[in-house]
């Protein structure tokens, strides 16, 4: 081995603690890159493989009742490759061991042969006999949550008739990778499932013989999607068709896609932060090392080493640190990525997971990691080339201190000498002081930008669960019914109050902008489920007009006073002009609301309701459940109190884990920054501090000079970090919001406080690590060494 | 008389520190001859180190030219100077300048690894009487031993010229003599042209030629008829 390389190893070994501190920060960046890209690619690949193998449809539509013959006409549309028509209905289930009713989405299987599209993959058992009227397959997670195995059976109310269904197998389908019940905000595998059964059984139960109410279409390669959608809409319109939509509006696909986008965004946005900080740190440490070794560098030059050889020597040191960080990052990334991908399968139901190890991710992360270290080294290394061998031979001139404004302030305030030393040190090396401050500030910002999500979520929850939706349950009706049904519901045992509303599928158009959405017709006096304005006050609906959620208003570029074209996509259909009378803030989903009487008037129908919000007497629940399970016209029930509970539990659990992880990562940054700053400060000032000790200053007084500076910088950094964090959070709110969620922007004092305390603690801890070295300063040795 | 290895022509060096101009060298003309031991004597601040640095290719002159065997050092690029130092010059510094993280042998190897015709590091260390300290780190050596490692490092490449800036400056007289003996031995055995800067007037007696410096100029050149051996010198 070359002697210079031996020196390299020994330097590396001597600087191990500082190198480790940098390498860990770097490793975080590499790890996040490897995880985010690795998991994203694995899930994407799994998704597209599953879609392909199980022929996930491209276009989806529903109708009330379309004749089976229509299928042939749909197949004629140019661009259509495969058409599958089905019956899809909702049904109340009565499950053993579950007092409340569960809900199922019933999906028909073709009377003959295999399904052509959205093919369910068997995980256990076999597909049901198409001729059987009670054999079904259910989605695996529903079976697992309810302890069902092949041969288990349960009761379902199909169009008012109670049936005993027997499970012949369990499946997973590309249509329900993310499965969420209607009206729910989170998956609930116990109370919502998908049940596939023979067409004939469903057709006879729901009086849909010779007809279908659901179409899936797979396109040819060169199809014009929008044209197919338009054609299909025309064909289905006479049969109660409600606007066909593409994958981007298919619930399961929408959730999965937005998750993948977030992963991708994280992989792009977060690692650079760590790389930048690592580069700063390498710059600091190497800069100091090179200052310390200027005589050695002069010597290398004097004996004939070229600038290139000397630069390469120090670049290799930086690369060593980078490589170390990359290896640690990879190791952590690989193990965590496996775990994460598995974690996703809890929420996303895939029959298998294709784990992709992409060499380019490793190559990119290695290049980025080592590149950051080398870039950080660049400035210091450039300095070595400028060092004249002759100048390097003479000892460095003592650092020049000058009186400046801060000194005067200090003197004026009668500061003691140690304080003056701190002030001078900061003003003499403003660059290092700023880098330290920025590093700490960034870690504070990282914590805020991640932890504020829980604050936002709190707001979202409070608004959606406690302010807007105060009902304990929502019943969805199988068919729209007149308001008289409300009285019937109120007569059910335990129901204290019932309020109805109707959701109608419409297409809203403002100039060239259009959106298909369910508009809710609401009774003016509704008090359980309310539409709230920004101040959490109930919105009073004007007699005429439509109220839009802010996100929808944005998408349609509509303001109060604009008139929208509303095309009703069901029943009698037709175009109506509706004025926008209000815009409200809404966090879950996007909504449009109007007075039920106005909606009915437009539709020229008597007011109808298709869902009923109820408040209930907890003591009479069982009686209510019995009735609901048996009621012929109730297609589903959503228990809001359970959603609230489930959400709180999930959020609490994941917030605990997430908070810990981010606090840990942020502490790593702080330790990396502060520890290195402290070591460098100590090395620069060892002689000075030792002199003070010799003059009779105590260890405490001497440590104060060093720790005081760092803690002062930390105190300055924390509010700056608050500000950075605020900006980052603002950006995240924008990028995270989708049609499913609109994240409110809110950062609680608790979040600020937590981030500040973690940063300060980590800073103090790393300063203390270095304090041990101050206490062990060998006074004689320090004074003997020449600098 | 032998060939001059170094020849200078009105070499001037001016340092600009802020508003003050320091004339370190004010037109130096001198010749240094092959295989000789030359001693540079003069008061502190008279410009000895500055001249040595220019001869060794560590620094450039403000005006005038310096030649090594007819090649103009003052016209060379940084890259050419590096090659010059690597192939022809050995340096010994007052403060040893050993790399603390390398052992004695490795400090010598630092030079032998990049030289065209080096000795073995062990051989060079033996010449300065350090064959028993080969694997010691600088911190484990005395000042005189460290300086001898520095000399071994300087001679290991068999340089044509050996430039020493106060090689005994940090040493007591007894250790200083050991170091001088090493230098003298190399000069006589290898025929290396040696230039030694010193404050110590006694050392002039072991030189072939003594150059006196004052105020950035040569004040006198003296050729010794008879030379003392290092152990005969006392201070
Ligand atoms: N880098 C520098 N910047 C400014 N002036 C310098 C610099 N180096 C040397 N000088 C000045 O140049 C003059 C000559 O310095 P030089 O080091 O050559 O003296 P010297 O004869 O070697 O002295 P000594 O015996 O004390 O080592 C001195 O006055 C010194 O102050
Ligand atoms: Mg000198």
């Amino acid at each position: 081995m070359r002697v210079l390389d031996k020196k390299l190893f020994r330097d590396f070994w001597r600087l191990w603690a500082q190198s480790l501190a940098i390498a860990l920060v770097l490793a975080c960046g590499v790890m996040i890159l490897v995880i985010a890209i690795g998991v994203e690619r694995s899930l994407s690949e799994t998704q597209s493989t599953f879609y392909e193998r199980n022929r996930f449809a491209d276009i989806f539509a529903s109708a009330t009742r379309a004749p089976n013959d229509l299928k042939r006409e749909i197949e004629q549309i140019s661009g259509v490759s495969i058409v599958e028509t089905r019956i899809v209905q909702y049904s109340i289930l009565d499950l053993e061991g579950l007092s409340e009713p569960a809900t199922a989405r019933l999906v028909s299987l073709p009377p003959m042969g295999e399904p052509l599209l959205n093919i369910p993959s068997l995980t256990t058992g076999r597909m049901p006999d198409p001729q059987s009227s009670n054999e079904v397959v259910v989605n695996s997670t529903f079976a697992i949550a309810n302890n069902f195995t092949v041969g288990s059976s349960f009761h379902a109310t199909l169009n008012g008739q109670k049936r005993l269904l027997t499970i012949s197998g369990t499946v997973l389908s590309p249509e329900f990778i993310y499965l969420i019940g209607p009206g729910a905000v989170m998956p609930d595998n116990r109370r919502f499932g998908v049940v596939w059964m023979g067409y004939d059984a469903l057709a006879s139960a729901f009086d849909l013989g010779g007809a279908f109410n659901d179409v899936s279409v797979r396109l040819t390669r060169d199809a014009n999607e929008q044209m197919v959608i338009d054609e299909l809409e025309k064909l289905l319109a006479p049969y109660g068709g409600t606007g066909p939509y593409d994958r981007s509006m298919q619930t399961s696909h929408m959730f999965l896609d937005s998750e993948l986008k977030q992963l991708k965004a994280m992989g792009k946005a977060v690692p650079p932060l760590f790389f930048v900080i690592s580069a700063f740190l390498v710059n600091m440490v190497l800069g100091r090392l090179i200052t310390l070794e200027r005589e050695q560098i002069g010597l290398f030059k004097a004996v004939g080493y070229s600038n290139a050889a000397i630069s390469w020597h120090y670049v290799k040191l930086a690369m060593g640190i980078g490589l170390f960080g990359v290896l640690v990052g990879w190791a952590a990334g690989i193990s965590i990525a496996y775990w994460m991908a598995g974690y996703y399968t809890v929420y996303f139901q895939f029959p298998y997971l294709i784990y992709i190890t992409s060499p380019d991710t490793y190559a990119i992360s290695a290049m980025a990691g080592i590149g950051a270290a080398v870039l950080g080294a660049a400035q210091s290394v450039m300095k070595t080339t400028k060092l004249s061998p002759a100048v390097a031979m003479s000892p460095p001139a003592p650092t020049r201190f000058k009186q400046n404004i801060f000194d005067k302030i200090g003197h004026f305030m009668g500061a003691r000498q140690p304080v003056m030393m701190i002030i001078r040190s900061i003003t003499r090396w403003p660059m290092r002081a700023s880098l330290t401050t920025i590093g700490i500030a960034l870690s504070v910002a990282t914590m805020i930008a991640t932890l504020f999500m829980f604050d936002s979520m709190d707001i979202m929850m409070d608004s959606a669960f406690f302010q807007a939706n105060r009902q304990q349950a929502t019943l969805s009706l199988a068919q729209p019914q007149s308001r008289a049904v409300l009285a019937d519901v109120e007569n059910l045992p335990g129901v204290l109050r019932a309020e109805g509303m109707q959701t109608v599928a419409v297409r809203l158009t403002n100039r060239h902008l259009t959106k298909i959405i369910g508009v809710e017709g609401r009774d003016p006096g509704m008090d359980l489920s309310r539409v709230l304005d920004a101040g959490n006050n109930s919105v009073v609906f004007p007699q005429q007009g439509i109220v839009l959620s802010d996100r929808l208003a944005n998408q349609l570029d509509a303001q109060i006073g604009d008139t929208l074209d509303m095309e009703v996509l069901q029943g009698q259909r037709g175009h109506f002009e509706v004025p926008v009378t209000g815009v409200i803030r809404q966090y879950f989903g996007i909504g449009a609301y109007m007075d039920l009487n106005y909606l009915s008037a437009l539709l020229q129908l008597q007011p109808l309701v298709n869902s009923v919000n109820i408040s209930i007497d907890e003591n009479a629940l069982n009686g209510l459940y019995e009735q609901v399970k048996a009621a012929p016209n109730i297609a589903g029930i959503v228990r809001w109190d359970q959603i609230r509970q489930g959400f709180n539990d999930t959020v609490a659990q994941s917030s605990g884990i997430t908070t810990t992880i981010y606090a840990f990562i942020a502490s790593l940054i702080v330790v990396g920054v502060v520890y290195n700053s402290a070591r460098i400060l100590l090395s620069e000032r060892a002689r000075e501090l030792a002199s003070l000790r010799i003059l009779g200053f105590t260890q405490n007084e001497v440590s104060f000079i060093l720790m005081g500076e760092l803690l002062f910088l930390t105190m300055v950094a924390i509010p700056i970090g608050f500000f950075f964090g605020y900006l980052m959070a603002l950006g995240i709110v924008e990028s995270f919001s989708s049609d499913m969620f609109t994240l409110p922007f809110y950062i609680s004092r608790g979040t600020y406080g937590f981030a500040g305390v973690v940063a300060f603690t980590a800073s103090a801890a790393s300063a203390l690590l270095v304090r041990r070295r101050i206490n062990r300063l060998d006074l004689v040795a320090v004074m003997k060494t020449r600098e | 008389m032998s060939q001059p290895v170094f020849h200078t022509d009105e070499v001037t060096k001016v340092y600009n520190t802020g508003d003050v101009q320091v004339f370190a060298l004010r037109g130096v003309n001198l010749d240094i001859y092959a295989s000789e031991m030359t001693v540079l004597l003069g008061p502190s601040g008279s410009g000895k180190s500055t001249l040595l640095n220019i001869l060794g290719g560590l620094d450039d002159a403000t005006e005038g030219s310096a030649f090594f065997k007819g090649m103009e050092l003052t016209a060379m690029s940084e890259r050419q100077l590096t090659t010059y130092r690597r192939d022809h010059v050995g340096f010994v510094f007052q403060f040893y300048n050993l790399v603390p993280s390398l052992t004695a042998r490795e400090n010598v190897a630092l030079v032998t690894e990049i030289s065209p015709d080096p000795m073995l590091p062990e051989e060079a260390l033996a010449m300065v009487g350090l064959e028993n300290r080969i694997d010691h780190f600088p911190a484990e050596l005395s000042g005189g031993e460290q300086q001898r490692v520095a000399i071994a490092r300087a001679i290991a490449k068999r340089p044509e010229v050996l430039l020493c800036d106060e090689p005994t400056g940090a040493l007591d007289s007894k250790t200083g003599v050991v170091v001088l003996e090493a230098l003298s031995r190399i000069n006589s055995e290898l025929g290396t042209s040696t230039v030694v800067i010193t404050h110590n007037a006694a050392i002039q007696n072991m030189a072939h030629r003594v150059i006196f410096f004052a105020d950035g100029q040569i004040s006198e050149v003296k050729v010794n008829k008879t030379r003392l051996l290092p152990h005969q010198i006392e201070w």
Side-chain angles (χ1 to χ4, degrees), chain A residues 597-608:
Chain A
N597 295 318
Y598 173 56
L599 180 62
S600 314
L602 287 180
L603 299 176
Q604 293 181 305
L605 291 167
Q606 60 150 321
L608 295 174

Side-chain angles (χ1 to χ4, degrees), chain A residues 507-569:
Chain A
R507 174 185 287 125
L508 293 176
T509 308
N510 187 30
R511 299 189 297 277
H512 62 285
L513 300 167
T514 119
K515 185 95 185 172
I516 292 179
I517 194 158
V519 66
E520 277 180 22
R522 291 170 161 251
D523 269 328
M526 275 178 74
D527 187 50
L528 293 175
S529 168
R530 306 182 298 168
V531 175
L532 300 173
D533 63 14
N536 271 346
N537 299 312
S538 220
V539 170
V540 183
F541 292 113
Q543 304 257 302
Q544 304 199 326
I546 189 165
V547 172
L548 306 176
S549 63
D550 43 6
R551 190 174 173 86
L552 179 59
N554 270 341
Q555 290 179 354
L556 292 173
D557 192 20
Q559 266 116 40
I560 295 178
D562 290 354
T563 302
L564 305 181
D565 175 77
M566 179 173 94
E567 181 187 2
V568 174
L569 298 174

Side-chain angles (χ1 to χ4, degrees), chain A residues 489-689:
Chain A
V489 171
E490 269 179 357
N491 282 335
L492 290 172
V495 174
L496 303 175
R497 189 183 165 100
E499 296 175 347
M501 54 191 194
Q502 184 182 21
T503 308
V504 175
V506 300
R507 174 185 287 125
L508 293 176
T509 308
N510 187 30
R511 299 189 297 277
H512 62 285
L513 300 167
T514 119
K515 185 95 185 172
I516 292 179
I517 194 158
V519 66
E520 277 180 22
R522 291 170 161 251
D523 269 328
M526 275 178 74
D527 187 50
L528 293 175
S529 168
R530 306 182 298 168
V531 175
L532 300 173
D533 63 14
N536 271 346
N537 299 312
S538 220
V539 170
V540 183
F541 292 113
Q543 304 257 302
Q544 304 199 326
I546 189 165
V547 172
L548 306 176
S549 63
D550 43 6
R551 190 174 173 86
L552 179 59
N554 270 341
Q555 290 179 354
L556 292 173
D557 192 20
Q559 266 116 40
I560 295 178
D562 290 354
T563 302
L564 305 181
D565 175 77
M566 179 173 94
E567 181 187 2
V568 174
L569 298 174
Q570 60 187 61
Q572 294 297 87
R573 304 179 81 91
H575 286 267
F576 306 96
E577 304 248 293
V578 293
V580 178
T581 55
V583 174
I584 55 139
R585 181 172 301 164
Q586 183 177 344
Y587 300 131
F588 277 104
I590 53 178
Y593 309 91
M594 50 175 61
D595 188 318
L596 181 56
N597 295 318
Y598 173 56
L599 180 62
S600 314
L602 287 180
L603 299 176
Q604 293 181 305
L605 291 167
Q606 60 150 321
L608 295 174
V609 297
N610 58 7
S611 63
V612 181
N613 296 318
I614 54 176
S615 64
I616 33 192
D617 171 8
E618 301 277 336
N619 297 323
L621 267 180
N622 285 336
L624 171 66
Y625 288 153
E626 286 313 310
Q627 295 276 331
V628 168
K629 285 175 189 171
N633 54 357
I634 296 177
I637 177 168
V638 172
R639 283 282 309 274
W640 285 85
D641 40 5
Q642 277 162 356
I643 293 178
R644 277 169 212 141
Q645 193 52 46
F647 205 94
N648 276 341
D649 291 349
T650 318
V651 169
Q653 191 190 0
S654 76
S655 96
I657 297 171
T658 320
T659 309
T660 314
I661 291 175
Y662 282 107
F664 175 73
I665 288 179
S667 306
L668 265 186
I669 300 180
V670 175
V671 171
V673 171
V674 176
Y675 182 74
N676 272 302
S677 295
R679 284 295 299 271
I680 288 166
L681 269 174
L682 178 64
S683 122
E684 274 168 2
R685 315 188 72 179
R687 284 168 70 77
E688 194 176 307
L689 299 180

Side-chain angles (χ1 to χ4, degrees), chain B residues 93-163:
Chain B
F93 309 98
Q94 178 177 0
F95 294 105
Y96 331 136
N97 275 55
L98 298 181
V99 177
S101 54
L102 298 180
T103 62
R105 186 214 315 259
E106 289 161 355
N107 262 288
V108 177
L110 197 59
V111 169
T112 57
E113 278 178 358
I114 57 167
S115 305
D117 176 30
M119 348 176 161
L120 288 175
E122 293 78 1
E123 206 182 324
L125 285 165
M127 286 193 77
V128 294
L130 283 182
E131 53 274 41
N132 298 324
R133 295 284 185 277
I134 282 175
D135 288 321
H136 287 225
F137 282 95
E140 299 161 352
L141 295 169
S142 76
E145 285 167 340
Q146 289 184 49
Q147 189 61 301
R148 281 186 280 157
V149 175
I151 294 173
R153 185 175 64 190
I155 58 160
K157 65 159 84 157
R158 304 182 208 276
E160 277 163 79
V161 293
L162 186 57
L163 305 178

Side-chain angles (χ1 to χ4, degrees), chain A residues 391, chain B residues 15 17 22-24 42-51 165-166 199:
Chain A
V391 172
Chain B
Y15 289 108
T17 35
V22 179
F23 282 83
S44 181
S46 56
K48 307 178 297 288
S49 296
T50 306
L51 178 68
D165 194 344
E166 299 186 32
H199 277 129

